Amino acid sequence: MSERGRYGLMAAFADADTLVEASRAAHKKGYRKMDAYTPMPIEGLGELLGCGEREKAKVSWLALAGGVFGGCCAYALQYTSTTLGWYFLSGGKPANSWPDFIIITFEMTVLFATFGAVFGMFWLNGFPKLYHPVFNVERFSRASSDEFFLCIEDRDERFDIEKTREFLEQFKPIEIVEVPK
Amino acid sequence: MSVTDKSSGNIPGSINLATIRKKLAGTRGREYWKGLEQVAETPEFDEFLHAEFPRLAAMWDRKIDRRTLLKLMGGSVAFAAAGLAGCSRPIGVIVPYVNMPEGEIPGKPMYFATSLTLGGHARGVIAESYTGRPTFVEGNQEHPASLGAIDSYAQASVEQLYDPDRAQVATYRTIPGTWSAFIEQMGFQAAKMKASGGDGFAILTQSITSPSLLAEIRQVQKRFPKARWYRYQPVGREGVDAGAKLAFGERVNTVYHFDKADVIVSLDADFLGLMPGHLAYARQFADGRRQKPGKPIKMNRLYVIAGTPTITGASADHVLPVPSAKIDAVARSLAARLGIGAAGGTTEAQAHWLDAVVEDLKKHYGRAVVVPGDVQPPAVHALAHAINARLGAVGGTVTYTEPLEPDGAGSLKDLTDAIDHNEINRLLVLGGNPVYDAPADLDFAGHYARVEERIYWSHYPNETAYMSYWHVPAAHELESWGDALAYDGTVSLTQPLIAPLYHGHSAYEVLRVVSGANADTDYDVVRGYWRQHYRRYASNGEAFDAFWKRSVQRGLIDNSALPAKTPHLRDDLASRLPQPLFRQRRGLYLQFRPDDSIFDGRFANSAWLQELPRRLTKITWDNVVMLSPRTAERLGIDNKELVVLGYHGREVTGPAWIMPGQPDNAVTVQLGYGRKRAGRLGTGVGFDVYPLRRADAMWFDDGLTLMKTGKRVFLATTQYHQTMEGRGLLRTATLDHFRDHPHWVDEGYPGKPPKLHESLYPEPAEKPPLEYRWAMNIDLSTCIGCEACVIACQAENNIQSVGKEEVLAGHEMHWLRIDRYYSGNMEDPETYFQPVPCMQCENAPCEYVCPVEASVHAEGLNAQVYNRCIGTRDCSQNCPYKVRRFNWFRYQTGRPTSTPVAAENPDVSVRQRGIMEKCTYCIQRINEAKIAADKTDRRIPDGMVETACQRACPTQAISFGDLNTSHSKINQVKDSPLDYEMLAEINTRPRTSYLGGLTNPNPALAKKDKNA
Amino acid sequence: MNPAADKKSPLMPPDLDLTALSDRLVGIVTTNKTPRSWMYAMAFFIFLTMVYLFSISWVFKTGVGLFGLNIPVAWEFPIASCIWWIGIAHAGTLISGVLLLTRQNWRPAIARFAEAMAMFAIIFAGAYPLIHLGRPWFFYWLMPYPNTQGLWPNWKSPLIWDFFAITSYLLYTTCFLYLDLLPDFGTMRDRAKHRISRIFYGIMALGWRNSAKHWARFDRANMILAAISAPIVVSVTGTISLDLAVTIVPGYHFTIFPAYFVAGALYSGFATVIVIAVPFRKMFGLEDLITPRHIDYIAKVMLGFVLVVDYSYMCEIWTAFYSGAPYYYGVYHNRWFEYYAPVYWTTYFLNIVVPQAMWFKGVRRSVAAMFVIALIADLGMWMERYFIVVTSTNRDYMPSAWLAKLPTGWDFAVLLGSIGGFCMLMLLFIRVLPLISLHDMRKLIIRKKGNVETTE
């Protein structure tokens, strides 16, 4: 037990089913400050671990915002630079030839929606975050290939090192480790 | 990418004339076609294949040493580097301007009236000079031989002036010497000569009409009684003089007045193209064809009996292709029908044709004229004089004056004979290039080599110069004083605009030095001469200085035209006529013609002229062997196939060109090519035909044999595809059709631009409302296809020449091109020309596709902003008229074809590599006028702005002006029922429009009327 | 997953479990013994890349006239190739996008390198118009940036639309590819042998730690981008087709162009996926992961799109003659009988006759046959772009200006060079990152077990 204090208690499971089972149980037991680590996304885990639909919707909203922003800026740029800016008569078309402006407006909408989604996701996930306590667990590297981890965090008010360990034990994890901060 | 050759015949791209005939037979109504390649619809695959791969090869195996390679690799990794390497700007030549001459405003051009000669005959020009640097010449309106127009030769004189290949220093046996050394040696020898009275001294000149120079020669002859004077001109007019002698017993100068003529018959005369006074003649002729608003519909009628197709034939209403050699016979038959002499032999097709012509001539007694060609023998000229007398033309449509050149000069043959008899030991060759252009049978070179002392004065270190002892560089006409006579005898003065660039000296100086007189300057000589002779022309009691100032200022001496005289026609002319020529023909007829572009070879080193498409073939940088389709078919000769011309034991090889309208069995070749020492550009271009020329057959002869070689070559023509595909681009009709259907230009052609409400957009709203709306109109009835406009445009707008290779690659740069269309059959087609500049569309397709606004509408013009252009070329892709030109490489400097920097027009930017350029309606001239107008706070008066092409046009076929000025010339022209816009139906709203072309065929020969 | 699929030959070996999967795919990257074939291929393509760089430098130095260009044929190889490359890119986007939405279980095996293919293709496509400029050193004038003259690009110009379309497409693809790579960066980080590579992958992974919360948001973002993929694919090639369609040039001015170009793009794109997949599965022994069934699926998609292309051909011809304008007859007379006719007919043979072979299951399941057909498809589509670009302007309104033009060696040098560069980047890519998406494959494996539901 390091002097830096404890981040939480982590259990490694061999397969996804047990993990899901454990998480569900933990959630029923009232644990809230916990997180699961899996090599691939697993349906429903998010809800159990406090990242539900409302959370995910944020990404969508950010994408939408990005799209609206991009589109408006694009059209505004084209409109102002041709009408308020230096006026060129080109091919006998009027300054505000809106049909010609649609394409760039569309492209920009799409592009900024993309940015909204991607960077929004980064932001919500708190990327970049190169250090995280869980990385201290030596086994944890397998979370990215073939093992499934559930980590109940120290800051959860129901967290009690002994009880929690017992709770996790019942799912026959491969290993249970304390995650130092 | 697989592209195969699918041409008929084993030789790629060869032509099967039978198929062509079938095609043409199959065509109904007025169908235009262009050159046989087209009618045969032969693809040009191999053309391009080979046009490409030599170039490529050159590119690939261009030596790249390790260092360069590394550099490039480095550059490759960082493109910017390579980019920068590419974008280095050309270095301009700058000249510090230390002290300002009086009245000189830097940047403001000054204009000087002077004159330029061709074959001794003067055309008055106005030369534009920027800070003492002549940059442009245009016609002098007050000069009778020019009337404000100009021809391509005169236009190119500026380029020739700055030609770096000109002789730059006096040389002795090709070793650089000095002028003073020349003077010294000449003085010494002149002293020796004086003793012998000039025995063995001879002068060889070209045609000279200059009174002062002739006086100088007379001086020399006075000082050295035994000195001889010979005269030789490769494009000479011996037949004209001999003909006059035959008809009148004296030499005369014939002047025609086509403005007074209703019916014109040309006996092989190219009076619109090359005859002395052709500019004036073209104007008179065109005035007789132009339909004036409000005036009754009428136009003159031109019959041409053509030995070879010329632009005169192209403008004719009826052409009778007859080998030049047989025109003698046709002329006799024509004369006989008018009761002069005995008929020559004619086919009955010709007879029928002649009957109709004679009828027409008789109907227009006093308003008809017959014009014999310079290349025709004396008999034809004599007959023409007789016919004109019979038609009551003399004094009306034809007048006679004293000859322009005095007699008393021996011919070149006399000279070579004299040399044979060792009578010549000292020969001064004053201009010309006899070693190159003398008839081969005289072997001038061989004789020249035998003369002990050979002195030569000329512009270029050419063939003759290399055989001479002393070669003195000649001062260009824009560098020296002088005078010459125009076709009607008007004395035209030449004044220098710039001091000789290359130590050049005038003929006067050389003549004086050689004859040991005190070397006065050309200025002293010319002025001195006129001080003695001016009284004849001066208004009574006028002081010489005033007279001189006035004359030099105007570039000519007022009313100095020779007075008309009426020589007495011999009554026994018929009996005096020589026997008709060529009763039986041996082999084919060989015909020589001066070249459309480089004349007798003197302009061979001019990139402008070499790249100017030949008027009818549209070939650049080459001459060809012209054959009639039937002859080619008979001999199995293929277009562009190398053929060997055999004549009197001599052989010359050149590419065949199947020429519609060429008379059968007649083979025409152009003089002036195959130069050996012309300069970097002219040397080795084309093939030399002088070796076939004989002193006794300067223009045509029979006994020619043709041998096919099976080898095809590439000729850089500027038009490849060749049918109009029934599109109403060029519209013509007969005069009668016009009478019945005044609005024929719109009938049966694709329609008008769509209505406004059919567009998604409102009408173009220019802000602020335009002050000027510039527009152009080109009259297809009067365009004769002389291409003066093309080269004027090139000179005015700093358009670069690119060379044969690039033209082959389709990279030519001319802003203004002249399309040539044929209609009818191949034996005697009708020929039409259509100049195509930028249309300056109001709804310009080129504009909206430009991503950087380099192509925008400004001042109602379709402007091209050079320094904004990045070269996407989308504008050209989207230009339906394909009038845009692109700088594929760095053409503007560093290439032999680049225009000399000093000759560039400072008002027009020189375009960099990688940008698009196009006709601007000479916007620099518009702006100049606008500035002038703004100063006086008035609008630009109508007619103040003249585009270069308009100004150059001999026939005034081009009108230009402002549509907002009511009653402006352009408005009147565009009100004509003949006015139409090309491709109006695609709603580009062109500002350039055309007047439908009219022809005036003789109903008696109505087969030509295609509207039936 | 759908039981029907189980009856068919499996899309992956049944005994493949998570550990084996990671070992194999990560092994390809981390192994020290690079396959010899890879070495040789790399050497060859590096050479071609140098050819590419050298020739475009020489063009920059000398002038764009080196290409087989003139007036009226002011566009040819470079523009045709640009359209072609963009088209190839589209398949990658569509696979990783639309197939994701439609839960195609044959997608994961091919999505990753298809996406990479897309990105590299766009790079070369985008380079072409710039190489092709008369004054490439001023390319930045295409961008809107405040300048002293107060000049902005001409928004009415299709070339500007292009510029924006291609740029945003490149950025979009980069985002999408990176997003998809993020979890795999995590895996690589955790399995990397050397400290250096661990640091590299660690930084690229941005601290991804497979948290369920990460996955939740990741999925949502992925879905949004997938949803965007369809419109962007349509709009980008659509926009490029407008370069031609908004002009008044007969042969360019067809309203059907956008749809027509998109179909062609996807056809050639999917073909390219096969062209890349076949050697790679051989090179790294992935025959059991990229199976004939995958090829079969791709073939079906190709067949679908090529039929649309063929339909468009006919439709275009019909439009031309229905228009009643002589200029449009002219275009087809030109294409059928004149100078470029051989190109035209070859194209039609390659794009109409040959693809019909894909109706047969045997052909679709035969890797070799499909490889050949795919190559032919790419060639055919390139030739189609070429004749569309060239045969329209070489004979448009003014017969007097009509002129044809053959490509020069520089055209071929740049084209082959760009292909070489593209292949080099692909080879590089698969030695640095897993060429098959790990997390997508894991989903498949888990789903096979069938107890827990993974997300898409």
Side-chain angles (χ1 to χ4, degrees), chain C residues 158-420:
Chain C
L159 296 181
I160 284 295
W161 307 343
D162 259 13
F163 182 76
F164 276 80
I166 296 180
T167 317
S168 37
Y169 188 32
L170 181 60
L171 293 171
Y172 162 84
T173 312
T174 320
C175 289
F176 202 3
L177 178 60
Y178 185 70
L179 190 64
D180 187 55
L181 275 168
L182 200 56
D184 291 359
F185 273 124
T187 310
M188 297 304 295
R189 170 196 62 206
D190 297 345
R191 303 178 70 102
K193 295 207 180 75
H194 309 294
R195 172 172 171 70
I196 306 296
S197 46
R198 195 174 303 120
I199 290 173
F200 166 72
Y201 290 121
I203 291 170
M204 294 305 283
L206 300 175
W208 174 269
R209 52 186 191 281
N210 303 80
S211 142
K213 301 195 174 88
H214 290 181
W215 281 120
R217 301 191 180 101
F218 170 89
D219 274 333
R220 178 54 56 95
N222 216 5
M223 279 300 149
I224 292 168
L225 263 61
I228 288 173
S229 72
I232 205 159
V233 161
V234 174
S235 72
V236 171
T237 291
T239 304
I240 288 180
S241 76
L242 289 183
D243 285 356
L244 312 180
V246 301
T247 64
I248 59 168
V249 180
Y252 281 0
H253 186 59
F254 285 115
T255 47
I256 193 181
F257 262 27
Y260 168 16
F261 273 45
V262 172
L266 293 165
Y267 173 54
S268 56
F270 276 91
T272 315
V273 173
I274 292 182
V275 172
I276 292 171
V278 170
F280 279 2
R281 68 199 282 275
K282 195 119 215 72
M283 205 180 272
F284 300 102
L286 301 171
E287 284 88 346
D288 53 353
L289 289 176
I290 306 172
T291 65
R293 247 182 85 205
H294 288 96
I295 308 286
D296 177 33
Y297 282 123
I298 300 176
K300 284 177 182 152
V301 179
M302 280 173 69
L303 185 58
F305 283 123
V306 79
L307 290 176
V308 179
V309 171
D310 298 345
Y311 167 77
S312 315
Y313 288 162
M314 302 311 140
C315 199
E316 190 188 50
I317 295 171
W318 184 81
T319 323
F321 284 87
Y322 185 69
S323 73
Y327 314 112
Y328 285 78
Y329 306 154
V331 170
Y332 274 91
H333 179 275
N334 181 23
R335 289 178 181 175
W336 288 343
F337 308 117
E338 294 298 339
Y339 188 80
Y340 293 104
V343 190
Y344 180 87
W345 292 117
T346 319
T347 310
Y348 268 32
F349 176 75
L350 298 183
N351 290 355
I352 296 180
V353 181
V354 177
Q356 306 310 325
M358 288 186 290
W359 286 106
F360 304 101
K361 193 177 179 104
V363 178
R364 292 202 305 269
R365 288 286 171 115
S366 144
V367 175
M370 282 314 298
F371 184 65
V372 175
I373 290 181
L375 284 174
I376 291 177
D378 277 334
L379 176 65
M381 283 315 297
W382 187 89
M383 286 174 72
E384 179 210 293
R385 308 312 199 192
Y386 177 76
F387 88 67
I388 290 176
V389 168
V390 170
T391 60
S392 308
T393 52
N394 91 299
R395 292 182 163 214
D396 57 4
Y397 291 98
M398 295 288 284
S400 60
W402 288 3
L403 184 52
K405 186 78 173 168
L406 275 188
T408 67
W410 296 98
D411 287 306
F412 287 104
V414 174
L415 177 57
L416 295 178
S418 66
I419 293 172

Side-chain angles (χ1 to χ4, degrees), chain A residues 40-52:
Chain A
M40 82 291 296
I42 291 175
E43 187 67 53
L45 261 186
E47 280 71 5
L48 295 177
L49 304 173
C51 183

Side-chain angles (χ1 to χ4, degrees), chain C residues 23-55:
Chain C
D23 293 347
R24 275 184 65 183
L25 294 182
V26 176
I28 293 174
V29 178
T30 52
T31 175
N32 291 334
K33 24 186 210 328
T34 322
R36 284 224 159 286
S37 50
W38 187 92
M39 291 289 194
Y40 295 138
M42 196 59 178
F44 176 64
F45 290 127
I46 285 177
F47 165 74
L48 279 186
T49 314
M50 289 320 284
V51 171
Y52 178 70
L53 296 176
F54 174 75
S55 25

Side-chain angles (χ1 to χ4, degrees), chain A residues 93-139:
Chain A
K93 297 187 181 188
N96 177 25
S97 348
W98 57 268
D100 292 343
F101 296 168
I102 289 171
I103 292 188
I104 291 178
T105 311
F106 175 82
E107 296 296 343
M108 289 298 101
T109 312
V110 171
L111 181 62
F112 280 85
T114 311
F115 288 159
V118 173
F119 295 110
M121 185 276 270
F122 287 179
W123 177 56
L124 294 169
N125 279 346
F127 292 156
K129 190 176 196 307
L130 297 189
Y131 171 78
H132 192 278
V134 293
F135 290 130
N136 298 329
V137 179
E138 176 243 353
R139 190 181 194 90

Side-chain angles (χ1 to χ4, degrees), chain A residues 15 18 23 36 53 74 81 84 86-87 95 109 124 135 180:
Chain A
D15 58 19
T18 340
S23 326
E53 194 44 50
S81 61
L84 316 181
W86 193 339
Y87 171 74
T109 312
L124 294 169
F135 290 130

